[in-house]
């Protein structure tokens, strides 16, 4: 998601981007506390160290997914790097602590509280008297007012992504002195803490032209521990420099260089000494973990040629020394290339021993989305049957246990464990129950052994090999039906269709007798089989999603539901399939924000007809919604009692579960490779990074003893 980093709330769900199936937006946790919220499943892993042990100076080279098209987080093409820059260089009234709770940012705020509720809600901000912009001007009411006017939605000349919260403000004015800002709301707004984070100067927000264009390529005026020194789109880097006007604790680092590095190239860049910090995939994490072990030469067993058996080696020797000179030359060349690759890999492993993997759980979860707009899934009984067929605990274990992270299924659409609005409401739908799933399907009219003549014709037309499922095609398809050889995959490995020994979903010759387990026979209705199109991204960072999809397909096969897996390019996955509704099943991730009454409403709002006759789904890509859920969101966002607001959100979540439009599965893993002497940075979990405390340890200094991830083991 991100993946896909975490940043200010301004990177909204509506303008989120896709990385390995994650819609990445900021994760901000809720306020207050209620018993059901529990604790975060995993804490931060950032190698904490006191500032007096950190070198003054140095450059942190940090891999990112992109140099963004804009540095304005409130525009539609903002991305995770936009948010990361904003965190380092702009004011934020509230930030998240390690437990995911919003806290007042004392560098900018002395206090912020609701001082009136009648006749209108009024919030009074008292600013830190030292807070100034980099041009020397005090941060004040003029900046708050300019941002409100730009984001209120009243002036369409501003190209804003959306206006949630700001559209509820009636006026912004100076308080009793220059350090006070009074914000009066036209309607009660529970999520007022979400506003003015980040805060841009009036120079950016003051006019449509400056908003639309002025902050896209550069930020002239900032107010954080760092400033934007240079944006180089040719070299794909953004350089942040220590700000001389920063009034807080001075940044330890001299510079932070954010550089675009594809995820599949990051291990090599780390080994080459070009990076100090990078989010990585599980394969790279395993390489680094193995490299750091004593006698790291064993890591060569993971490198090129590691999977060659003794028989393979003997066959290679025979070809290289055989009578066929052409074959021998070809084999000798191949062996030279393999030795060279192995030597390169060994050198990289030695270099990677200087890094470590820091891991936590992202404030985002992966879900199975069910398109309720067309096909069999328009029937709520079929959607509920899909949900009841899933073993969510198994899916969480498959992804998280090998990484040494807590493998606990997510129980809410609106929050994660540790956030104030969290409660496990999955009981409104029920857990895995094969018999219940089958009963729901039968009630919906899907019966076993029905005629599927049309499907047989399609199989014949496809030819003896059928459609390939090797992931090489733009629209690559593979059918997953009842799996009589399921035990072949219990080791967690992927088995390609057609692999010797049988493969899940492989077709037997026509006329072959049905397996003895007739309960797993495919279902049909009105002559058509119950087949669901399962759309997945095909990019190199999507292997985890494909593994999960394979498990989901097997689980559905047990109750008679066949899945047709369609792999599409990452670029078209969301735009051409998810957003446009061209799918039955899909996997992608949503963040859990601090303000679900505001942020989650467009994701679960009931679709309504637009003026042009189309269906306005907002961000509800499953097209499943109810009037009751909408009403509960509206009540929650207008309730200033935090306990009551959270109670309303939990009721809404229960009803979202019952509608079975989307099924939360597991919290996303967060894996970062960090140089061992780099401190106060890494896997931040819920917390907002403290950029001024990042740096490299002084020679001979040791970091503080920090908390480890609960239940962690080496990946």
């Amino acid at each position: 998601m991100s993946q896909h980093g975490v940043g200010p709330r301004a990177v909204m769900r509506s303008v989120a981007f896709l990385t390995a199936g994650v819609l990445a937006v900021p994760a901000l946790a809720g306020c207050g506390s209620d018993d059901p919220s529990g604790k975060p499943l995993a804490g931060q892993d950032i190698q904490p160290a006191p500032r007096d042990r950190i070198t003054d100076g140095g450059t942190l080279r940090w891999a990112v997914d992109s140099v963004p098209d804009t540095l304005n987080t409130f525009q539609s093409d903002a991305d995770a790097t936009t948010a990361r820059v904003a965190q380092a260089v702009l004011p934020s009234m509230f930030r998240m602590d390690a437990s995911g709770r919003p806290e007042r940012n004392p560098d900018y705020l002395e206090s912020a509280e609701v001082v009136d509720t009648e006749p209108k809600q009024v919030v009074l901000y008292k600013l830190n008297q030292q807070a100034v912009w980099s041009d020397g001007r005090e941060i004040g009411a003029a900046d708050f007012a300019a941002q409100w006017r730009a984001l209120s939605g009243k002036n369409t000349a501003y190209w804003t992504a959306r206006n949630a919260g700001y559209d509820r403000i009636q006026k912004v004015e100076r308080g009793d002195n220059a350090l006070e800002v009074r914000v009066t709301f036209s309607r009660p707004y529970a999520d007022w803490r979400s506003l003015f984070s980040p805060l841009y100067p009036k120079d950016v927000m003051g006019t449509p032209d400056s908003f639309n264009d002025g902050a896209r390529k550069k930020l002239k005026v900032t107010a954080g521990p760092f400033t934007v020194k240079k944006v180089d789109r040719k070299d794909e880097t953004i350089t942040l420099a220590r700000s001389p006007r920063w009034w807080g604790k001075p940044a330890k680092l001299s510079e932070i260089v954010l550089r675009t590095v594809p995820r599949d190239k990051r291990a090599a860049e780390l080994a080459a000494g070009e990076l100090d910090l990078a989010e990585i995939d599980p394969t790279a994490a395993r390489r680094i973990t193995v490299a750091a072990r004593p006698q790291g030469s064993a890591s060569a067993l993971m490198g090129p040629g590691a999977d060659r058996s003794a028989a393979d080696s003997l066959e290679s020797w025979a070809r290289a020394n055989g009578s066929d000179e052409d074959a021998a030359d070809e084999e000798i060349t191949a062996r030279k290339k393999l030795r060279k690759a192995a030597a390169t890999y060994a050198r990289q492993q030695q270099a990677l021993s200087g890094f470590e993997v820091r891991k936590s759980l992202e404030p985002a979860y992966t879900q199975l989305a069910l398109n309720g707009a067309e096909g069999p899934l328009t029937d709520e009984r079929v959607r509920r049957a899909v949900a009841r067929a899933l073993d969510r605990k198994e899916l969480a274990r498959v992804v998280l246990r090998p990484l040494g992270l807590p493998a606990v299924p997510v129980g809410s659409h609106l929050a994660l464990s540790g956030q104030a609005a969290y409660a496990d409401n999955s009981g409104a739908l029920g857990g895995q129950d094969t018999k219940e799933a089958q009963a729901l399907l039968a009630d919906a009219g899907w019966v076993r052994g029905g005629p599927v003549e049309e499907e047989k014709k399609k199989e014949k037309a496809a030819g003896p090999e059928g459609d390939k499922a090797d992931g090489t095609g733009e629209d690559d398809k593979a059918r997953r039906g009842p799996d009589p050889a399921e035990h072949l995959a219990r080791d967690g490995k992927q088995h390609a269709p057609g692999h010797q020994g049988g493969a899940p979903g492989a077709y037997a010759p026509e006329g072959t007798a049905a397996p003895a387990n007739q309960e797993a026979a495919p279902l049909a209705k009105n002559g058509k089989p119950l087949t669901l199109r399962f759309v997945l991204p095909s990019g190199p960072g999507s292997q985890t999603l494909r593994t999960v999809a394979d498990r989901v397909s097997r689980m559905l096969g047990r109750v008679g539901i066949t899945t047709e897996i369609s792999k599409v390019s990452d670029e078209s996955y969301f735009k051409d399939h998810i957003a446009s509704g061209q799918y039955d099943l899909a996997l992608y991730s949503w963040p859990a924000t601090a303000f679900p009454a505001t942020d989650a409403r467009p994701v679960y709002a009931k679709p309504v007809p637009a003026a042009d006759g189309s269906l306005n789904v907002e961000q509800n890509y499953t097209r499943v919604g109810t009037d009751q859920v909408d009403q509960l969101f509206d009540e929650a966002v207008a309730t200033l009692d935090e306990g009551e607001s959270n109670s309303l959100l939990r009721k809404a979540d229960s009803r979202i579960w019952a509608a079975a439009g989307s099924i939360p599965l597991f919290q996303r893993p967060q894996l970062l490779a960090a140089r061992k002497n780099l401190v106060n940075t890494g896997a931040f979990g819920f917390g907002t990074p403290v950029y001024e405390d990042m740096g490299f340890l002084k020679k001979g200094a040791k970091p503080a003893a920090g908390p480890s991830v609960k239940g962690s083991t080496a990946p």
Side-chain angles (χ1 to χ4, degrees):
M1 218 223 182
S2 104
Q3 119 193 274
H4 28 258
V6 175
R9 179 173 163 270
V11 186
M12 280 78 67
R13 294 173 184 262
S14 59
V15 295
F17 69 98
L18 174 69
T19 303
V22 62
L23 288 171
V25 304
L28 302 177
C31 312
S33 63
D34 293 286
D35 291 339
S37 63
K39 296 180 179 179
L41 296 176
Q44 290 186 326
D45 189 2
I46 62 171
Q47 193 69 291
R51 288 172 56 87
D52 60 4
R53 300 182 192 178
I54 303 173
T55 298
D56 184 15
T59 298
L60 169 59
R61 299 164 299 173
W62 193 343
V64 295
D65 292 323
S66 68
V67 169
D69 291 329
T70 180
L71 297 179
N72 186 338
T73 61
F74 295 103
Q75 293 182 336
S76 61
D77 51 352
D79 65 13
T81 308
T82 310
R84 185 168 292 165
V85 172
Q87 286 177 331
V89 308
L90 290 173
S92 179
M93 298 303 110
F94 288 86
R95 63 186 179 190
M96 301 304 112
D97 65 15
S99 298
R101 304 294 171 134
E103 62 179 6
R104 174 181 57 86
N105 190 337
D107 288 323
Y108 302 101
L109 278 181
E110 294 290 345
S111 65
E113 59 185 345
V114 177
V115 294
D116 283 313
T117 57
E118 294 293 340
K120 302 287 186 179
Q121 175 186 348
V122 177
V123 175
L124 180 64
Y125 296 85
K126 293 185 178 180
L127 303 176
N128 185 324
Q129 61 181 350
Q130 295 179 297
V132 296
W133 296 104
S134 56
D135 61 3
R137 183 176 60 83
E138 288 185 346
I139 297 172
D143 302 297
F144 282 69
Q147 183 148 317
W148 157 56
R149 293 190 185 100
L151 302 178
S152 67
K154 294 180 180 179
N155 188 345
T156 57
Y158 285 91
W159 299 341
T160 61
R162 71 167 183 163
N163 316 107
Y166 292 95
D167 59 355
R168 289 177 173 256
I169 295 176
Q170 178 178 313
K171 61 182 177 179
V172 175
E173 56 192 343
R174 184 179 183 272
D176 292 339
N177 56 61
L179 296 176
E180 292 186 357
V181 181
R182 289 177 63 89
V183 178
T184 302
F185 291 82
S186 58
R187 292 173 288 166
Y189 187 50
D191 291 338
W192 61 269
R193 292 177 183 85
S194 68
L195 305 174
F196 307 110
S197 294
L199 176 70
Y200 283 81
K202 64 179 182 180
D203 309 71
V204 170
M205 295 291 187
T207 68
D209 286 344
S210 61
F211 178 91
N212 297 339
D213 298 318
R216 290 188 65 80
K217 306 302 181 185
K218 56 188 175 181
L219 282 175
K220 294 181 181 179
V221 179
T222 58
F226 288 87
T227 63
V228 179
K229 180 179 179 181
K230 184 179 180 181
V231 178
D232 190 331
R233 285 180 166 77
K234 182 178 179 180
D235 291 339
E236 296 188 279
T237 60
I238 298 178
T239 302
L240 308 179
R242 182 163 50 191
S243 173
R245 297 303 300 262
W246 175 242
W247 58 92
K249 296 176 182 177
K252 285 293 184 178
L253 292 166
S254 298
E255 290 186 339
I256 298 175
V257 178
L258 306 173
R259 182 163 68 89
T260 301
V261 181
R263 296 198 172 225
D264 59 347
K265 305 294 184 185
R266 291 181 183 178
E269 290 288 287
L270 289 161
E274 299 296 326
L275 292 173
D276 304 300
L277 183 67
E279 189 170 358
I280 54 175
D281 61 24
T283 300
R286 184 164 178 254
R287 281 191 65 178
I288 292 169
T289 301
V290 171
R293 292 172 181 166
Q295 300 179 356
S297 59
S299 63
L301 296 175
M302 296 172 56
D307 57 349
R308 292 175 64 136
S309 65
D312 291 334
S313 299
L314 181 60
E315 183 180 352
S316 172
W317 181 90
R319 282 197 300 268
N321 295 276
S323 57
D324 187 330
E325 294 184 1
D326 290 340
D329 289 343
E330 183 178 339
E331 186 61 31
I332 290 171
T333 299
R335 294 175 74 177
K336 287 181 179 178
K337 289 182 178 179
L338 184 61
R339 285 196 295 270
K340 184 177 180 180
T344 299
Y345 184 90
R347 288 195 299 272
Q348 289 180 348
Q349 286 301 103
Q350 185 176 7
L352 289 175
S353 65
F355 293 85
E356 62 186 9
V357 178
R358 298 177 187 172
K359 57 189 175 180
S360 185
L361 292 171
E362 283 188 23
Y365 66 89
T366 297
Q367 64 168 6
L368 178 68
L370 293 77
N371 184 359
E374 60 183 24
L377 295 177
T378 57
D379 190 328
E380 183 178 298
R381 293 168 295 184
V382 179
R383 297 198 304 270
R384 292 175 65 89
V386 169
R388 299 302 295 272
L390 301 181
D391 185 340
R392 297 189 306 120
K393 291 182 180 179
E394 178 187 337
L395 296 173
R397 285 195 296 266
V398 166
V399 174
L400 298 173
R401 182 168 287 179
L403 302 175
L405 291 166
V408 179
V410 172
S412 171
H413 297 78
L414 308 182
L416 294 171
S417 182
Q419 296 184 298
Y422 184 80
D424 187 343
N425 299 306
S426 60
L429 179 58
Q432 196 279 331
D433 189 324
T434 299
K435 290 185 177 179
E436 178 62 20
Q438 292 170 333
L440 285 164
L441 292 169
D443 187 53
W446 295 94
V447 297
R448 300 188 181 282
V452 288
E453 293 301 323
E454 184 178 340
E455 194 66 19
K456 289 182 179 179
K457 290 178 183 178
K458 289 181 182 179
E459 291 176 30
K460 288 184 179 180
E465 294 184 3
D467 293 324
K468 293 183 179 180
D470 57 4
T472 58
E474 168 68 11
D475 195 14
D476 191 72
K477 297 179 180 179
R479 300 188 189 282
R480 293 284 187 266
D483 183 13
E486 186 182 353
H487 64 280
L488 294 175
R490 287 181 182 168
D491 58 0
K493 298 178 180 178
Q494 294 284 89
H495 296 275
H499 192 281
Q500 186 176 359
Y507 283 99
E510 188 173 356
T512 302
N517 182 13
Q518 186 61 27
E519 282 192 358
L523 300 171
K525 181 179 180 180
N526 298 327
K528 295 182 180 180
L530 180 49
T531 301
L532 301 178
R533 186 187 182 204
F534 203 155
V535 179
L536 297 168
S538 60
S542 304
Q543 182 57 48
T544 297
L545 291 186
R546 295 195 290 273
T547 299
V548 172
D550 189 64
R551 293 295 181 106
V552 168
S553 295
R554 294 188 196 121
M555 292 172 184
L556 297 182
R558 295 172 196 158
V559 299
I561 300 174
T562 300
T563 56
E564 182 182 74
I565 291 180
S566 180
K567 299 175 186 174
V568 303
S569 70
D570 287 359
E571 293 75 19
S572 71
Y573 181 57
F574 244 87
K575 179 182 68 175
D576 299 330
H577 297 277
I578 307 306
S580 61
Q582 301 302 307
Y583 75 99
D584 291 318
L585 302 174
L587 291 167
Y588 54 89
S589 298
W590 279 128
T593 84
F595 312 104
T598 297
D599 292 337
R601 193 192 192 286
V603 178
Y604 301 105
K606 181 180 178 180
V608 295
D612 61 359
S614 63
L615 194 65
N616 180 11
V617 302
E618 297 192 63
Q619 285 81 57
N620 186 352
Y621 302 129
T622 69
R623 282 80 176 164
V624 175
T626 70
D627 293 328
Q628 190 176 29
V629 168
D630 291 353
Q631 181 180 348
L632 287 166
F633 273 120
D634 292 342
E635 292 176 6
V637 81
T639 303
L640 297 183
D641 182 299
E642 294 179 16
E644 177 62 21
S645 181
N646 288 332
S647 177
L648 290 165
L649 288 169
R650 292 178 185 133
K651 290 178 182 178
D653 182 49
S654 293
R655 285 155 178 77
I656 295 169
W657 272 105
S662 60
I663 313 301
L665 301 178
F666 50 84
Q667 204 168 338
R668 286 174 52 85
Q670 187 178 58
L671 305 172
L672 280 95
R675 200 172 292 279
K676 289 182 177 179
N677 66 336
L678 179 63
V679 294
N680 295 327
T681 187
F684 290 99
F686 283 118
T688 301
V690 181
Y691 288 82
E692 59 267 37
D693 287 351
M694 298 177 184
F696 297 93
L697 284 173
K698 293 178 180 178
K699 189 174 182 179
K702 294 182 179 181
S708 60
V709 177
K710 180 181 177 182
S712 65
T713 58

